[in-house]
Amino acid sequence: MGVCECPALLLLLSLLLLPLGLPVLGAPPRLICDSRVLERYILEAREAENVTVGWAQGCSFSENITVPDTKVNFYTWKRMDVGQQAVEVWQGLALLSEAILRGQALLANASQPSETLRLHVDKAVSSLRSLTSLLRALGAQKEASSLPEEASAAPLQTFTVDTLCKLFRIYSNFLRGKLTLYTGEACRRGDR
């Protein structure tokens, strides 16, 4: 039985390798268009958010971390060109990745970091790497870089967070909001 004959096995293998941040050879380039893939990342992000809500200690950072604004004006979003959406999602994902990495470093320097918290942060780092690869395969990076300079000139809206709980809330909201909206539109366009 060849790899092409068993799409369910390929999907399962892809889902197992993606959290490791490894490229999945032979995986469909539009794997992220399978709603189960993105739903899995959203579920992990929500789980991390829910775990950190209960932690009063060990969640505060010694400095503020800049994150992308996750609010979506649906009227404006629907009127945006898919390339502009790609820019916003690509920049947001890059900033979110930096923020999670910074949170990971701050947690590692904490006096008694919780193993549970470290596990969720490590998982988020891996998931963001995988999502970046999936978006690259979908063409988001190309779409974002192909816009004329003036079309992508709007600066990314940001703010800062001071706790791991808030960071995971932003992470979860970003995946459920802008990333889901963009991938839905990009996948629909690719099916035409």
Side-chain angles (χ1 to χ4, degrees):
M1 164 169 49
V3 175
C4 294
E5 297 171 13
C6 195
L9 181 60
L10 181 60
L11 176 64
L12 179 61
L13 180 62
S14 299
L15 289 174
L16 291 173
L17 292 177
L18 280 173
L20 300 175
L22 300 173
V24 182
L25 299 176
R30 298 170 53 77
L31 184 62
I32 199 163
C33 293
D34 183 336
S35 63
R36 296 171 294 184
V37 173
L38 192 52
E39 285 171 12
R40 183 178 149 266
Y41 289 109
I42 291 170
L43 184 65
E44 284 180 5
R46 278 190 151 160
E47 182 182 315
E49 179 186 359
N50 290 337
V51 164
T52 57
V53 166
W55 289 77
Q57 295 178 325
C59 283
S60 293
F61 296 132
S62 58
E63 63 187 60
N64 288 336
I65 297 177
T66 303
V67 293
D69 187 357
T70 58
K71 290 185 203 114
V72 178
N73 177 325
F74 291 100
Y75 176 75
T76 304
W77 184 266
K78 287 180 188 253
R79 298 186 77 206
M80 288 171 74
D81 175 74
V82 76
Q84 292 171 310
Q85 293 174 354
V87 168
E88 191 154 330
V89 168
W90 193 255
Q91 289 176 346
L93 194 62
L95 182 59
L96 192 54
S97 295
E98 288 175 27
I100 295 282
L101 285 171
R102 185 66 193 138
Q104 183 182 44
L106 292 173
L107 189 61
N109 292 332
S111 57
Q112 293 179 331
S114 157
E115 195 58 39
T116 303
L117 294 179
R118 281 196 350 207
L119 174 68
H120 283 288
V121 171
D122 292 348
K123 226 187 228 187
V125 168
S126 178
S127 293
L128 285 165
R129 285 184 181 138
S130 298
L131 285 167
T132 299
S133 294
L134 288 169
L135 282 177
R136 190 175 288 121
L138 186 60
Q141 186 180 23
K142 254 192 291 188
E143 189 95 45
S145 63
S146 69
L147 279 182
E149 193 64 35
E150 60 278 356
S152 62
L156 182 67
Q157 298 295 310
T158 64
F159 61 96
T160 60
V161 295
D162 58 358
T163 67
L164 192 56
C165 179
K166 291 176 185 173
L167 179 58
F168 278 132
R169 185 175 305 126
I170 295 302
Y171 174 44
S172 175
N173 287 345
F174 185 82
L175 298 187
R176 289 183 293 129
K178 291 180 181 180
L179 184 66
T180 299
L181 289 170
Y182 169 72
T183 56
E185 181 59 30
C187 291
R188 274 189 297 280
R189 279 181 32 140
D191 290 341
R192 292 180 189 154

